Amino acid sequence: MRLTLDIGNTQTVIGAYRGRTLEHRWRISTEVSRTTDEYRILLAGLLSGIPQPLEGAALSSVVPSAVPAIRPVLTEMVNGPLVVVGPGIRTGMEIRIDNPREVGADRVANAIGAVELYGAPVLVVDFGTATTVDVIDASGSYCGGAIAPGVQVAGDALAAAASALRRVELTRPSRATGRNTTEAVQSGLVFGWAGLVDGLVRRICAENRLGTLPVVATGGLARLIGPACETITDIEDDLTLGGLLVVLELNS
């Protein structure tokens, strides 16, 4: 079994692969202050039914403090390569932006996973703490993209800044015209973000002359917002984990 871990700002996703088959997946809250001992207890519990030691592991993280905390635990559990996505790691993908070091490890993994599944060119939309759109051109190179606030972040900010509004359940309303405040906020968040994504995708495709291509959604809110988008063609819940598996294989 091989392990892939994506530590995001809000959630951490962990996958256990047998060959190329994802047999187990867990989604847990990210705790910035989580210690090495806490990671040891957490992973031991999650992986209790999986044969040990692991044959390899790949990690991506946008939380800098998490890597030194979890790395010793993975080193103990893995009898094989331990790959932390970052500068110096082979990804098989050229990063064609001003400063390649600025690209988040999760966005690189998403791009690799998308090319593995759909070929190139392809666009990836990640509905996470931030809403990101990433562009992979016909040569398979990462060319940049766009970053907007995440849907949950926007909803929390709205409730905090507007005294008359409150946090609402993030669910798709039955219509865009809300008949009450809750429906109105839900419409703004779900359909509003769908419009934001569609606008970005169309503008990006036009300026890069990309034409018709797969637009893949992933992230914790992809199943909520993706179906409301006109430009999303596919939803892949495990895109990041799949990309990490490819990176692990390249560096094994």
Side-chain angles (χ1 to χ4, degrees):
M1 298 290 285
R2 294 177 292 180
L3 201 65
T4 56
L5 306 93
D6 174 45
I7 301 178
N9 288 299
T10 305
Q11 295 183 333
T12 295
V13 185
I14 304 169
Y17 282 86
R18 186 182 302 276
R20 279 297 188 94
T21 302
L22 180 62
E23 291 199 349
H24 305 278
R25 176 165 62 89
W26 303 272
R27 186 180 293 271
I28 61 176
S29 297
T30 296
E31 297 292 343
V32 176
S33 60
R34 186 170 281 147
T35 67
T36 296
D37 287 336
E38 288 172 327
Y39 273 117
R40 184 175 290 109
I41 294 169
L42 177 64
L43 289 178
L46 292 177
L47 304 177
S48 59
I50 293 177
Q52 304 289 329
L54 298 166
E55 299 170 1
L59 168 68
S60 66
S61 175
V62 296
V63 181
S65 62
V67 175
I70 197 172
R71 189 197 291 266
V73 182
L74 294 175
T75 301
E76 296 168 5
M77 303 179 74
V78 174
N79 183 21
L82 171 57
V83 179
V84 180
V85 179
I89 296 298
R90 285 184 297 167
T91 63
M93 177 171 287
E94 183 181 0
I95 308 297
R96 296 174 55 192
I97 66 170
D98 294 341
N99 183 1
R101 293 176 179 269
E102 289 182 351
V103 186
D106 56 337
R107 297 176 73 184
V108 174
N110 282 342
I112 294 168
V115 172
E116 181 74 10
L117 290 175
Y118 298 95
V122 63
L123 263 60
V124 178
V125 182
D126 192 336
F127 293 97
T129 306
T131 301
T132 61
V133 182
D134 293 306
V135 185
I136 301 91
D137 68 12
S139 71
S141 300
Y142 179 92
C143 297
I147 303 175
V151 181
Q152 187 68 64
V153 170
D156 291 345
L158 181 64
S163 301
L165 298 179
R166 63 184 185 278
R167 287 178 175 82
V168 301
E169 180 185 2
L170 261 181
T171 187
R172 178 171 175 162
S174 58
R175 50 184 172 261
T177 306
R179 301 294 178 85
N180 53 62
T181 301
T182 296
E183 286 185 354
V185 172
Q186 289 171 336
S187 174
L189 292 176
V190 175
F191 298 129
W193 246 250
L196 178 149
V197 167
D198 287 337
L200 283 173
V201 168
R202 290 179 177 127
R203 187 178 293 266
I204 286 171
C205 287
E207 70 182 22
N208 290 281
R209 300 178 181 179
L210 291 173
T212 302
L213 78 172
V215 181
V216 189
T218 192
L221 294 175
R223 293 284 172 185
L224 173 64
I225 311 297
C229 298
E230 297 175 353
T231 56
I232 298 293
T233 61
D234 299 271
I235 298 176
E236 293 288 343
D237 297 317
D238 304 312
L239 192 67
T240 316
L241 299 182
L244 287 172
L245 183 65
V246 174
V247 175
L248 176 59
E249 292 173 344
L250 286 172
N251 289 272
S252 295

